[in-house]
Amino acid sequence: MTLAFNTVGIAGAGAMGRGIAQMCAQAGSAVRLFDTQPQAAVKARAEICGQWDRMTEKGRLDPPTAAAYKERLQVVDALQALADCDLVVEAIVERLDVKRALFADLERITRPATVLATNTSSLSVTAIAAGLQRPQQVAGYHFFNPVPLMKVVEVVAGLKTDPAVCDALMGYTRAMGHTPVQAQDTPGFIVNHAGRGYGTEALRVVGEGVADFATVDRILKDQVGFRLGPFELMDLTALDVSHPVMESIYHQYYEEPRYRPSVITAQRAAGGVVGRKVGEGFYRYVDGKAQLPAEPPVPSVAELPPVWVSTRAARRSELYQLLKDLGAKIETGQSPSLQALTLVAPLGFDVTTVAVVERLDPARTVGIDLLVEDSATRRRVLATNPATRDDMRDAAHALFARDGKAVSVIRDSGGFVTQRVVAAIVNIAADICQQRICTPKDLETAVTLGLGYPLGPLAMGDRWGPANVLEVLFNMQTVYGDPRYRPSPWLRRRGAIGLSLLHEER
Ligand code: NAI
């Protein structure tokens, strides 16, 4: 394959610039690394060479190849030295004025055919290119940290970007061994936009007092298969980084309620309780390890009451089978006896509303989240309503823990934890498709590689039923009266036919 970019300049030799330089050298380009801080580029080159040495020691790189990489990677001490580059990737400070000034200089010194790319994660590519003579040569080229390990790269077309420029960057990304996805120039591009659902909805759950941080993390890891809970993730990325991103995307979308940040992170960021790097975030860290609070114990209950299941429960036959397997005494009458623990399994509605609408005794009513089938989860989640008696709550907890599966009991809210967070993720993803920011296929690729979710958000919607996700959103909209839960038209249209089926559609 002929390389589109034989000589590549990198401006800014910080965390990102050095990773990008490494990948470009490995792709076969001659790389020139420039930084305004004396010694920064020299230090960056030494670090990259150290990486190649370690790869050689481990047998993952042969010595002649490592030597060739090193020879291709050169430090330069003036911007002028990037004049004959085919591509220049900018990875300097995230400030529009500074980036604009650099691009004006680059445009002046480079050839007309040179592609000028920015690694910005939050600024508009169109705004960076505005005022230049050749905005068609400018594209976003968004890598993730750490660059060699994060295999996805967003290629972003500004308003005036020549499609051939994006195509060349897509091909070059593949030559690096990474996976390119193409995005329109919109706030957060794909990954930082699609990632809004997870943290913000989890923060809302905690902000409403429905469950604490650790419980929310446990539920989402055990029920959905996320590798990190949202609060563990925020501790890792640190709130001084992630809270401003939440605010920026929210404001850039003119206060779209789906992206509304939380006062919880605002206050914690202000207080310096930002995460693992300072030893304290949502969790405390001792020797870098999160100190997890103990799980509430399973209550011991001498005798379990009979159980009656609402006729409108989600996955009703599955719930009956589960109750049988757990050895419950099941009531099958039209209505529960006066002793019965009454189970409801709503989608989107809160337990209180269901009890009132179905004329059940709220004192004996407990909810269970069955969006995800029981056999696919490692945790069951129950919700009480404000009137639920302690003995009924304890009986439900003990019953559902009988086979050793973990159980969390949370307070009543529309949509439990998993329903809320999954619905928020799927709805935002659907809206990304609606806005045609990228293809559904690129969305799935970007999210699985960039965010490490167990499934792409559209596949997640299909996995637990687009109609169920829609039902959760419609009902939550009723419970909260909040436009945040308004289903995207894209989701409404595809609710009946599946989301990821239409991957190829643009
Ligand atoms: P950094 O602070 O580690 O490095 C920036 C480097 O640019 C510094 O060495 C600085 O001396 C140099 N610099 C500043 N002005 C310059 C100029 N006019 N010309 C040449 N060099 C200049 O920053 P980092 O984290 O590497 O970020 C760079 C860019 O990448 C930013 O736009 C950031 O938003 C973006 N980005 C960062 C990610 C991250 O996780 N750190 C992820 C994705 C994108």
Side-chain angles (χ1 to χ4, degrees):
M1 185 186 135
T2 49
L3 201 59
F5 304 118
N6 290 310
T7 307
V8 177
I10 310 285
M16 297 305 289
R18 76 186 56 165
I20 299 167
Q22 178 182 344
M23 298 312 296
C24 294
Q26 289 175 197
S29 305
V31 179
R32 302 197 186 139
L33 191 53
F34 170 71
D35 198 290
T36 41
Q37 268 190 47
Q39 294 307 307
V42 173
K43 204 171 130 231
R45 184 177 186 277
E47 277 189 26
I48 301 166
C49 290
Q51 289 259 356
W52 286 328
D53 289 340
R54 278 190 294 280
M55 284 162 77
T56 310
E57 279 158 26
K58 287 183 188 158
R60 282 164 39 207
L61 193 62
D62 60 69
T65 310
Y69 288 170
K70 287 180 189 176
E71 201 183 312
R72 284 206 284 270
L73 177 61
Q74 300 301 330
V75 168
V76 297
D77 57 11
L79 194 65
Q80 188 62 40
L82 307 184
D84 64 345
C85 286
D86 304 303
L87 163 70
V88 178
V89 184
E90 166 277 310
I92 67 167
V93 54
E94 187 77 339
R95 273 184 45 192
L96 183 60
D97 54 344
V98 183
K99 287 197 197 279
R100 272 185 166 162
L102 176 68
F103 274 81
D105 287 344
L106 285 170
E107 186 176 59
R108 202 168 25 78
I109 63 173
T110 55
R111 294 183 310 239
T114 302
V115 169
L116 303 177
T118 170
N119 185 47
T120 185
S121 51
S122 66
L123 300 172
S124 155
V125 174
T126 305
I128 291 171
L132 295 182
Q133 300 296 312
R134 302 191 296 272
Q136 70 276 9
Q137 291 301 107
V138 179
Y141 203 25
H142 185 210
F143 288 81
F144 293 82
N145 193 13
V147 177
L149 298 181
M150 295 296 289
K151 297 285 184 190
V152 68
V153 185
E154 295 176 328
V155 173
V156 184
L159 215 50
K160 296 199 172 167
T161 309
D162 180 349
V165 163
C166 290
D167 290 346
L169 290 172
M170 300 284 284
Y172 188 52
T173 311
R174 290 189 197 98
M176 291 173 185
H178 275 23
T179 304
V181 289
Q182 196 174 334
Q184 297 302 326
D185 185 20
T186 49
F189 309 131
I190 307 172
V191 172
N192 285 339
H193 184 168
R196 290 310 95 215
Y198 195 42
T200 43
E201 193 58 29
L203 280 161
R204 229 165 123 88
V205 169
V206 169
E208 289 170 16
V210 174
D212 60 24
F213 312 123
T215 303
V216 171
D217 277 352
R218 283 186 182 118
I219 290 173
L220 288 165
K221 286 193 290 182
D222 289 351
Q223 286 211 313
V224 190
F226 288 104
R227 275 207 300 263
L228 289 177
F231 296 100
E232 290 171 315
L233 184 64
M234 283 186 264
D235 270 2
L236 194 65
T237 50
L239 290 182
D240 53 338
V241 176
S242 54
H243 181 73
V245 173
M246 291 186 219
E247 287 197 326
S248 157
I249 293 186
Y250 176 60
H251 293 308
Q252 288 187 73
Y253 270 111
Y254 296 107
E255 285 74 44
E256 161 59 49
R258 282 194 193 102
Y259 314 130
R260 192 186 308 141
S262 162
V263 293
I264 296 176
T265 47
Q267 194 201 40
R268 287 174 167 260
V273 187
V274 298
R276 184 187 294 234
K277 71 182 180 188
V278 298
E280 189 182 6
F282 292 104
Y283 297 93
R284 275 183 183 281
Y285 293 83
V286 177
D287 298 328
K289 283 203 78 174
Q291 306 299 297
L292 303 182
E295 289 227 34
V298 179
S300 54
V301 176
E303 201 185 338
L304 292 173
V307 183
W308 183 89
V309 175
S310 157
T311 52
R312 293 196 216 161
R315 297 187 193 277
R316 189 155 172 260
S317 51
E318 216 179 292
L319 181 54
Y320 271 122
Q321 187 57 50
L322 173 62
L323 289 168
K324 263 189 214 146
D325 294 346
L326 293 170
K329 283 173 280 178
I330 303 172
E331 287 190 0
T332 53
Q334 285 274 318
S335 52
S337 71
L338 288 175
Q339 297 75 45
L341 165 67
T342 305
L343 285 180
V344 297
L347 290 174
F349 275 128
D350 55 302
V351 176
T352 312
T353 301
V354 174
V356 170
V357 170
E358 296 188 21
R359 296 174 192 276
L360 304 170
D361 174 6
R364 292 182 288 126
T365 305
V366 171
I368 179 166
D369 187 354
L370 287 175
L371 175 68
V372 177
E373 65 267 35
D374 187 73
S375 57
T377 69
R378 288 182 283 131
R379 180 175 295 270
R380 299 183 181 119
V381 178
L382 307 175
T384 54
N385 71 73
T388 305
R389 280 190 343 231
D390 290 356
D391 63 320
M392 286 293 159
R393 177 199 62 210
D394 289 351
H397 189 163
L399 171 63
F400 283 105
R402 258 185 174 175
D403 59 357
K405 205 177 254 201
V407 173
S408 291
V409 183
I410 61 172
R411 294 195 189 87
D412 201 9
S413 85
F416 297 88
V417 176
T418 295
Q419 292 180 19
R420 293 178 69 154
V421 173
V422 165
I425 290 171
V426 174
N427 199 28
I428 287 174
D431 213 52
I432 288 175
C433 297
Q434 178 71 52
Q435 293 182 46
R436 294 177 180 253
I437 291 170
C438 61
T439 62
K441 192 171 179 196
D442 273 1
L443 170 67
E444 298 290 85
T445 305
V447 171
T448 40
L449 294 178
L451 297 172
Y453 289 1
L455 290 170
L458 303 177
M460 205 180 274
D462 278 344
R463 173 74 178 78
W464 294 303
N468 289 336
V469 173
L470 264 177
E471 190 173 334
V472 168
L473 288 167
F474 280 130
N475 292 341
M476 285 190 65
Q477 216 185 339
T478 307
V479 172
Y480 287 97
D482 189 333
R484 181 187 184 96
Y485 302 113
R486 183 187 66 238
S488 161
W490 199 93
L491 181 60
R492 291 178 73 148
R493 281 198 304 275
R494 283 159 182 77
I497 51 177
L499 309 178
S500 49
L501 286 177
L502 294 145
H503 267 169
E504 296 308 324
E505 189 201 33
R506 276 231 62 158

